[in-house]
Amino acid sequence: MALESKICGVSDRAAIEAAARGGASWIGLVFFPPSPRAVTPEQAEALAAATPAGLGRAGLFVDPDDALLERVLARVPLELLQLHGSEAPRRVAEIRARFGRPVMKAIKVAQAEDLEAVEAYAPVVDRLLFDAKAPKSMAGALPGGNALSFDWRLLAGRRWPRPWMLSGGLKAETLAEAVATTGAAAVDVSSGVESAPGAKDPALIAAFLERARSL
């Protein structure tokens, strides 16, 4: 089975075109203004319209209220809602039921105990995403996209009740090790294909996806 890849935090057509050429399965649009990758609903509408058939559109939200989700979904045909904040399982279930879209919940990992959250979220999501938890000492840390990885050995040999993606500090040079260690069938990259925070580099996207195709 081919490795499924998501290029998250795209904000221009060049990144979308590179993702499509490289065989990505998903692009991610970030609706979290503090992020350097954030787009407005209006910008996202244009980007979604430029996304070729077969390339899924995910929207990344951080503790969104219903008004924000309604505003975005009125303009942007998202196929997946990625929740990357501190949303409780009950809130995740509410969003999934109300908006009728598949939901992926990020589980932030620094130690083995962090994986215990899967038990509560698995019944109310369609997918899980394992990302690195930023240390409390990290200045300006975002909910994701901090170019941090976690100890991939924490996922080795584990099985989960939902499909899942691996994220957190991935790049072309480390992808093979990450996949071999964790057994991931799907990966999510953002900072690892950027020339600067928020600036996706088509060449880095191409290199990452070429490596992904080889695995």
Side-chain angles (χ1 to χ4, degrees):
M1 180 183 295
L3 185 67
E4 185 180 6
S5 299
K6 175 170 169 279
I7 308 298
C8 197
V10 302
S11 57
D12 59 40
R13 293 193 180 195
I16 293 174
E17 291 167 0
R21 283 195 304 271
S25 300
W26 296 91
I27 59 163
L29 299 163
V30 175
F31 301 97
F32 181 62
S35 171
R37 306 166 184 94
V39 292
T40 65
E42 293 75 18
Q43 290 169 324
E45 182 179 24
L47 292 170
T51 302
L55 188 54
R57 293 160 292 204
L60 187 154
F61 299 87
V62 177
D63 299 306
D65 58 21
D66 287 350
L68 173 60
L69 291 164
E70 288 169 356
R71 191 160 67 250
V72 170
L73 290 172
R75 287 181 171 271
V76 189
L78 298 175
E79 288 95 9
L80 181 67
L81 303 180
Q82 179 176 335
L83 301 178
H84 221 95
S86 58
E87 304 89 0
R90 180 174 178 178
R91 174 60 177 155
V92 173
E94 289 173 353
I95 290 171
R96 187 171 180 244
R98 174 163 185 160
F99 295 97
R101 301 291 200 287
V103 168
M104 178 166 68
K105 179 70 179 84
I107 307 294
K108 297 168 192 178
V109 182
Q111 55 191 359
E113 289 77 10
D114 296 321
L115 298 172
E116 295 173 4
V118 171
E119 183 177 357
Y121 285 104
V124 296
V125 300
D126 300 275
R127 289 175 176 250
L128 297 162
L129 181 142
F130 297 107
D131 196 4
K133 179 188 289 186
K136 293 181 180 178
S137 59
M138 184 177 182
L142 295 166
N146 293 302
L148 297 175
S149 60
F150 61 94
D151 185 351
W152 298 321
R153 293 173 297 179
L154 294 172
L155 300 183
R158 303 288 294 266
R159 296 291 181 268
W160 309 104
R162 291 288 184 268
W164 57 278
M165 285 188 176
L166 176 66
S167 188
L170 297 176
K171 50 188 176 181
E173 296 81 0
T174 62
L175 185 58
E177 180 186 357
V179 170
T181 302
T182 64
V187 293
D188 185 328
V189 65
S190 185
S191 60
V193 291
E194 292 179 343
S195 56
K200 290 292 183 290
D201 185 323
L204 292 177
I205 292 173
F208 183 91
L209 293 172
E210 181 179 9
R211 192 74 183 98
R213 290 196 306 272
S214 73
L215 299 178

